[in-house]
Structures are given as C-alpha cells and as structure tokens.
Amino acid sequence: SVDRRVTDFCNVIVQAILFAGLLGVATLNTYIRSIVNKAVETAGVKEGLIYGFIPAGFISGFLPVGLITLILIQIPSLLYILAQRIIRFKSFSKVDEFTLL
C-alpha cells in the first residue's frame, strides 16, 4: 500500500505538470494560429478567397481550431497515464475518478 503522503506529493507534482501544460497549450495555440495566418497570406488571397474558391476566413478560423482540437482530445489519455504511472493509484476507480473529475 502506498502511503497517503506519497500520493498527495505525487498529486501535487501532477498538478504542476498540468499547469505547465496549460501554459504550453496557450503558447501552442498562438503558434498554430500564426502559422495558419502566414499560410493564408502566402496562398494568394484575392477578394477573400484562396486560389479563387476557398474562403480565407473559413480556413483561418477552422484550421487552427481543428488542429488544437486534435491535440486536446489526447488530454484524458494523458490524465489516465499520469494517474497510473506517477500518482500510482492502485484501483481503477481511483484512476477513473482522477481522470474524469
């Protein structure tokens, strides 16, 4: 059995990792948005259309959201791994509780 203090300490470590990840996602969001905006600018936007038929506003709005969504979908898996490997919850109910709450 793992001591309660060890579990609490590991929980604090995981919270620090998640906080750093939150800052990282904000930075990643800015980076993705700037790359998409540069790509739209270099694609030759004329009259709000890329290549004459793709709406530039759609691409510059939808593409960053789609890429960030693909990244954020992985968060529950990351939480599950953190709960199992770092905090070392022994029961799956504790792992699920940590992941889903």
Side-chain angles (χ1 to χ4, degrees):
S1 175
V2 179
D3 187 21
R4 177 78 175 165
R5 288 179 290 170
V6 173
T7 302
D8 289 342
F9 178 71
C10 290
N11 204 353
V12 169
I13 290 173
V14 168
Q15 289 174 0
I17 290 170
L18 294 176
F19 179 72
L22 180 66
L23 296 177
V25 166
T27 304
L28 186 63
N29 182 13
T30 304
Y31 182 68
I32 288 174
R33 194 164 291 279
S34 69
I35 289 175
V36 169
N37 287 338
K38 286 179 186 176
V40 167
E41 288 174 6
T42 59
V45 178
K46 293 181 183 175
E47 299 175 3
L49 298 175
I50 300 173
Y51 302 121
F53 63 93
I54 302 172
F58 176 75
I59 297 297
S60 64
F62 179 72
L63 190 58
V65 171
L67 293 173
I68 292 168
T69 301
L70 290 174
I71 293 168
L72 293 179
I73 286 173
Q74 303 304 318
I75 288 178
S77 301
L78 174 68
L79 291 175
Y80 194 82
I81 290 169
L82 289 173
Q84 278 187 320
R85 305 276 166 101
I86 294 179
I87 299 177
R88 295 185 182 160
F89 286 129
K90 297 297 179 188
S91 66
F92 285 118
S93 62
K94 287 283 190 187
V95 172
D96 289 339
E97 180 181 338
F98 178 80
T99 302
L100 299 175
L101 295 180

